[in-house]
Amino acid sequence: KAGVTQTPRYLIKTRGQQVTLSCSPISGHRSVSWYQQTPGQGLQFLFEYFSETQRNKGNFPGRFSGRQFSNSRSEMNVSTLELGDSALYLCASSILAGGADTQYFGPGTRLTVL
Amino acid sequence: TQLLEQSPQFLSIQEGENLTVYCNSSSVFSSLQWYRQEPGEGPVLLVTVVTGGEVKKLKRLTFQFGDARKDSSLHITAAQPGDTGLYLCAGESSNSGYALNFGKGTSLLVTP
């Protein structure tokens, strides 16, 4: 069974631009969660989608948004990029919603904002 | 606010040594997970503990969940270079809507 895939793996953008990241979960998984990982703050929860509905949202500004499609694939969008948005963005999929179910992480998208 | 505090932040040891990594919080968690992350990859789940006082063993790794479900520890016996990586604990609680809260991690380097 294929794992979680994320595209692109690397991105370089400039301040003020917007970016869209994509995540394809493991087949049969209906929950997709997104995390931001930085050296200073570690892994921080962005949001979780389950069956196309946002179930949970972390403490990030409205510039961060996401969505999930009927095939469970998910995208996250960051508008008006800031230097501090440079990070590794990870998505994780699971069969059930919530954190207790085993989450399988993708390799991440490394975003650099110049 | 970091709900989970991990210590130590960095650890460099020789092959064959034992080590313990700690994960502490003032919050009660309904479950706690340990992950290992290697450079360029996403975290990989090692274990989930759900019962206060629970001890789980995975080969040379021993995980313990505190009686009050507020803390956990990971003990590695006879560390090997292949154990090198970032060890993350993550807790799930109703306070966070059951989203996973991660600690900042312990970066472990095991040299031959």
Side-chain angles (χ1 to χ4, degrees), chain A residues 14-87:
Chain A
T14 56
R15 279 181 299 174
Q17 287 187 308
Q18 75 161 17
V19 67
T20 299
L21 312 181
S22 180
C23 172
S24 293
I26 293 173
S27 177
H29 287 195
R30 294 165 63 190
S31 171
V32 174
S33 297
W34 287 90
Y35 297 84
Q36 180 195 66
Q37 187 175 28
T38 59
Q41 297 299 318
L43 258 156
Q44 294 189 291
F45 173 75
L46 281 156
F47 28 66
E48 179 194 10
Y49 287 88
F50 183 81
S51 295
E52 301 180 66
T53 302
Q54 186 180 89
R55 275 193 79 250
N56 211 342
K57 191 177 188 304
N59 191 25
F60 277 81
R63 299 185 297 107
F64 292 82
S65 63
R67 59 178 176 169
Q68 187 180 33
F69 302 95
S70 57
N71 61 358
S72 293
R73 192 177 69 85
S74 177
E75 289 181 349
M76 69 163 280
N77 183 277
V78 188
S79 62
T80 320
L81 284 167
E82 300 177 0
L83 295 179
D85 296 334
S86 293

Side-chain angles (χ1 to χ4, degrees), chain B residues 76-106:
Chain B
I76 301 179
T77 303
Q80 298 177 0
D83 296 327
T84 293
L86 179 68
Y87 288 82
L88 296 156
C89 67
E92 178 220 11
S93 71
S94 59
N95 290 344
S96 61
Y98 297 101
L100 279 180
N101 284 287
F102 280 83
K104 291 187 181 181
T106 293

Side-chain angles (χ1 to χ4, degrees), chain B:
Chain B
T1 303
Q2 209 75 32
L3 286 181
L4 286 160
E5 298 291 335
Q6 287 189 242
S7 62
Q9 192 175 355
F10 300 98
L11 194 53
S12 180
I13 61 172
Q14 298 271 337
E15 182 177 3
E17 292 184 30
N18 301 332
L19 67 118
T20 302
V21 174
Y22 299 93
C23 175
N24 296 301
S25 175
S26 57
S27 300
V28 175
F29 292 100
S30 50
S31 72
L32 195 138
Q33 302 174 7
W34 284 93
Y35 291 80
R36 185 172 76 201
Q37 184 177 21
E38 298 185 31
E41 299 180 13
V44 175
L45 180 68
L46 296 173
V47 76
T48 299
V49 286
V50 296
T51 306
E54 183 176 3
V55 177
K56 280 192 174 179
K57 292 192 176 184
L58 185 67
K59 297 182 181 178
R60 295 176 293 100
L61 278 60
T62 302
F63 304 86
Q64 186 161 9
F65 201 13
D67 290 340
R69 290 185 289 129
K70 292 183 179 180
D71 54 83
S72 181
S73 64
L74 158 60
H75 182 79
I76 301 179
T77 303
Q80 298 177 0
D83 296 327
T84 293
L86 179 68
Y87 288 82
L88 296 156
C89 67
E92 178 220 11
S93 71
S94 59
N95 290 344
S96 61
Y98 297 101
L100 279 180
N101 284 287
F102 280 83
K104 291 187 181 181
T106 293
S107 182
L108 172 64
L109 174 65
V110 183
T111 53

